[in-house]
């Protein structure tokens, strides 16, 4: 019976590998130097486009934190002489969606539109207006600065926000990853129109952009679209990067008083860059440690056995430079020390001994079985390919994913965790400590 079960799993994995291999990805560079990934899919009359820029909050100048976020945000609020209300109405009238965001490494914009010529052409024109010709109107800048400042003041009363900001600042010190993406009330007040224009000129470069196109379009049409998008962007040969993280910046246990009924605890350290060889052992290992929800070790030890929390989690956030390992939980204030002691002992034991064979097999089955859900729509494919393109990962990354998961061994997990994580140097933030 067990052998038949293994055979079924093997056949299932082979089927999925063949399915992923059928995802044909074309790549090229535009004349302006923009990397393009394209997947042709005519199942639905929809076109998805994502463009990424090396313009995340890590590029904020010291004293002007929040500039990357404000620049990206204002680009959608008036462009090519069209004010924000008309721009929003024109996008809505054709049934398109244009949105974007900023994280530590990148700024991006997404377009989703119907693929009929009339709607697609209008949507592309509006999309290009936003990324080619932002107006940065002063009244809108001032209004949005005030709105964001009010939001920051409100969020700084929340224990989750306080814990997260303190955690990032503690483990990254002077590194740009310590920046709050939204900025602060002080830094936002200093920003002006010229700051936004200069940031756009410096960082929204065609040579550093990556474009992903998925949907109802031919390859020839996709090439024309990518050329028209990249040609209107600022030109330049600047190669931006983010400095490595030195450290870890260990501050021990930091307790912050707060009237919340529960203690909010975050712990971790800088750990993992995109594309590192340890990625898959850490990824699989973390699923067992704290990333697998109710089947994880941390949940078993802290929730099931002791009833100290409703949930406890851990995850790696790989970035251009070393992104963090974060472990998080909430518990009653009077139970914080006990819960923290169990988390620490569980992490140390996992690093010392690694997972069991049973845990490893279960983790692989869950990760492999859940992978198709990451690629079950054009929008998800766009997001996944955007990550691959931006971080310059191999184009075979998707095809090889299942193989890499299945190759992971207990020994590799133990080695990777010992290489990357020092359980004695996990900075711990407790907001709502007694």
């Amino acid at each position: 019976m067990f052998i038949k079960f293994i055979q079924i799993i093997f056949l299932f994995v082979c089927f999925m590998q063949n399915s992923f291999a059928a995802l044909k990805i074309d790549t090229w560079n535009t004349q302006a130097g923009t990397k393009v990934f394209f997947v042709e899919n005519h199942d639905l009359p929809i076109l998805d486009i994502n463009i990424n820029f090396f313009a995340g909050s890590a590029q904020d100048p010291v004293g002007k934190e929040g500039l990357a976020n404000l620049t990206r945000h204002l680009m959608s609020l008036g462009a090519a002489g069209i004010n924000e209300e008309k721009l929003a109405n024109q996008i809505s009238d054709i049934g398109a969606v244009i949105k974007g965001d900023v994280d530590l490494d990148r700024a991006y914009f997404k377009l989703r539109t119907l693929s009929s010529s009339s709607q697609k052409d209008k949507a592309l024109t509006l999309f290009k207006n936003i990324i080619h010709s932002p107006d940065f109107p002063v009244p809108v800048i001032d209004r949005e600065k005030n709105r964001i400042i009010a939001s920051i003041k409100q969020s700084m009363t929340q224990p989750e926000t306080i814990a997260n900001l303190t955690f990032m600042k503690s483990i990254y010190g002077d590194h740009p990853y310590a920046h709050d993406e939204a900025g602060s009330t002080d830094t936002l007040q200093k920003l002006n129109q010229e700051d936004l224009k200069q940031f756009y000129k410096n960082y929204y470069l065609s040579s550093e952009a990556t474009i992903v196109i998925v949907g109802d379009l031919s390859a020839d049409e996709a090439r024309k679209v990518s050329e028209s998008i990249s040609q209107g962007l600022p030109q330049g040969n600047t190669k931006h990067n983010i400095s490595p993280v030195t450290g870890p910046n260990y501050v021990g246990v930091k307790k912050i008083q707060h009237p919340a009924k529960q203690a909010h605890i975050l712990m971790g350290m800088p750990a993992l860059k995109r594309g590192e060889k340890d990625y898959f052992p850490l990824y699989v290992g973390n699923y067992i440690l704290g990333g697998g929800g109710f089947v994880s070790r941390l949940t078993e030890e802290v929730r099931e056995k002791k009833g100290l929390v409703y949930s406890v989690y851990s995850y790696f956030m790989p970035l251009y430079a070393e992104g963090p390992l974060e472990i998080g939980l909430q518990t009653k204030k009077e139970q914080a020390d006990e819960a923290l002691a169990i988390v620490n002992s569980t992490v140390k034991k996992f690093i010392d001994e690694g997972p069991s064979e049973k845990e490893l097999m279960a983790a692989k089955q869950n990760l492999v079985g859940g992978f198709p859900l990451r690629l079950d729509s054009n929008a998800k494919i766009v997001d996944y390919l955007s990550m691959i393109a931006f971080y310059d990962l191999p184009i075979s990354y998707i095809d090889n994913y299942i193989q890499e998961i299945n190759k992971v061994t207990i020994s590799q997990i133990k080695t990777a965790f010992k290489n990357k994580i020092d359980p004695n140097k996990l900075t711990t933030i407790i907001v709502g400590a007694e």
Side-chain angles (χ1 to χ4, degrees):
M1 185 71 179
F2 179 75
I3 293 175
K4 182 171 285 292
F5 173 75
I6 294 297
Q7 290 173 336
I8 291 171
I9 291 295
F10 176 76
L11 291 172
F12 180 61
V13 168
C14 289
F15 170 77
M16 285 191 295
Q17 285 176 322
N18 290 334
S19 298
F20 298 145
L23 187 64
K24 185 176 181 296
I25 306 169
D26 290 330
T27 66
W28 63 83
N29 282 10
T30 68
Q31 294 181 15
T34 304
K35 183 194 303 181
V36 183
F37 281 24
F38 170 60
V39 174
E40 188 171 348
N41 185 345
H42 301 288
D43 291 344
L44 295 171
I46 293 174
L47 178 64
D48 286 284
I49 299 176
N50 187 315
I51 184 165
N52 287 263
F53 300 94
F54 210 104
S57 63
Q59 305 301 334
D60 285 338
V62 175
K64 293 186 177 181
E65 289 81 3
L67 177 56
N69 179 64
L70 189 63
T71 301
R72 202 247 25 112
H73 179 55
L74 263 292
M75 289 172 69
S76 300
L77 301 181
I82 307 170
N83 67 36
E84 59 178 311
E85 183 178 358
K86 290 182 179 179
L87 188 59
N89 288 338
Q90 289 180 17
I91 294 170
S92 177
D93 287 345
I94 57 173
V97 177
I98 298 176
K99 57 185 178 180
D101 207 349
V102 165
D103 61 27
L104 293 168
D105 287 340
R106 55 184 171 161
Y108 62 87
F109 287 90
K110 295 180 178 182
L111 166 65
R112 164 163 278 203
T113 179
L114 294 171
S115 57
S116 65
S117 295
S118 60
Q119 289 165 306
K120 176 192 67 181
D121 292 346
K122 291 176 182 177
L124 281 169
T125 296
L126 295 170
F127 187 64
K128 289 186 290 185
N129 284 343
I130 288 171
I131 63 174
H132 292 170
S133 306
D135 290 332
F136 302 122
V138 172
V140 180
I141 292 175
D142 292 340
R143 184 197 71 203
E144 291 304 299
K145 281 167 55 177
N146 290 333
R147 185 189 61 79
I148 296 171
I149 287 171
S151 176
I152 290 173
K153 289 179 178 178
Q154 193 280 328
S155 68
M156 287 307 297
T157 67
Q158 304 300 316
E160 299 92 338
T161 301
I162 296 169
N164 186 64
L165 293 179
T166 306
F167 175 71
M168 294 298 284
K169 289 177 181 177
S170 296
I171 67 172
Y172 284 109
D174 294 331
H175 191 272
Y177 283 168
H179 295 176
D180 178 14
E181 292 164 24
S184 68
T185 55
D186 291 337
T187 59
L188 281 169
Q189 287 172 345
K190 299 175 185 176
L191 301 181
N192 57 43
Q193 185 188 55
E194 186 55 36
D195 291 323
L196 275 64
K197 287 183 175 180
Q198 193 62 49
F199 189 90
Y200 170 78
K201 181 179 178 181
N202 290 345
Y203 292 98
Y204 282 76
L205 301 176
S206 61
S207 58
E208 291 194 330
T210 56
I211 298 173
V212 175
I213 304 172
V214 176
D216 187 22
L217 208 63
S218 70
D220 287 342
E221 290 172 318
R223 286 182 179 273
K224 292 176 182 177
V225 167
S226 65
E227 288 291 342
S228 69
I229 290 174
S230 65
Q231 286 294 338
L233 294 169
Q235 306 292 302
N237 297 317
T238 304
K239 183 64 177 176
H240 295 103
N241 58 32
I242 299 170
S243 60
V245 178
T246 58
N249 195 63
Y250 174 61
V251 300
V253 179
K254 183 179 289 187
K255 297 184 177 181
I256 301 172
Q257 299 299 314
H258 193 279
K261 293 182 179 180
Q262 289 196 317
H264 294 250
I265 302 173
L266 291 180
M267 57 191 300
M269 62 187 294
L272 184 62
K273 296 189 292 185
R274 280 284 180 191
E276 285 196 73
K277 64 180 179 63
D278 285 332
Y279 173 78
F280 282 101
L282 292 174
Y283 180 55
V284 176
N286 180 69
Y287 185 89
I288 299 165
L289 174 62
F294 291 118
V295 299
S296 72
R297 283 248 192 126
L298 287 172
T299 298
E300 174 67 20
E301 296 298 325
V302 187
R303 182 185 189 272
E304 299 301 324
K305 290 183 179 180
K306 296 293 184 178
L308 296 174
V309 300
Y310 176 74
S311 68
V312 56
Y313 66 85
S314 66
Y315 68 83
F316 288 95
M317 185 170 72
L319 295 168
Y320 185 90
E322 291 81 356
L325 163 69
E326 180 179 308
I327 301 169
L329 62 149
Q330 298 175 27
T331 188
K332 294 178 181 178
K333 291 183 176 182
E334 61 270 20
Q335 299 175 337
D337 290 341
E338 182 184 2
L340 191 54
I342 296 172
V343 169
N344 277 315
S345 64
T346 303
V347 171
K348 287 179 180 179
K349 182 178 180 181
F350 185 82
I351 293 174
D352 288 339
E353 301 177 3
S356 67
E357 286 286 358
K358 182 179 179 181
E359 287 175 319
L360 180 59
M361 179 178 290
K364 288 180 178 181
Q365 290 173 356
N366 278 300
L367 290 170
V368 169
F371 186 61
L373 297 177
R374 297 188 178 193
L375 300 170
D376 63 359
S377 69
N378 284 0
K380 291 182 181 179
I381 293 172
V382 165
D383 287 343
Y384 217 86
L385 291 182
S386 294
M387 179 271 292
I388 293 171
F390 181 82
Y391 288 107
D392 200 25
L393 300 178
I395 195 171
S396 59
Y397 187 89
I398 291 177
D399 289 341
N400 294 340
Y401 176 92
I402 292 174
Q403 178 183 348
E404 292 296 329
I405 292 291
N406 283 324
K407 281 167 50 178
V408 172
T409 66
I410 291 174
S411 177
Q412 288 175 334
I413 290 173
K414 289 172 63 177
T415 299
F417 270 81
K418 287 181 178 179
N419 286 342
K420 292 294 184 181
I421 305 301
D422 183 345
N424 298 311
K425 291 188 177 180
L426 296 177
T427 289
T428 301
I429 308 300
I430 307 176
V431 177
E434 283 196 313

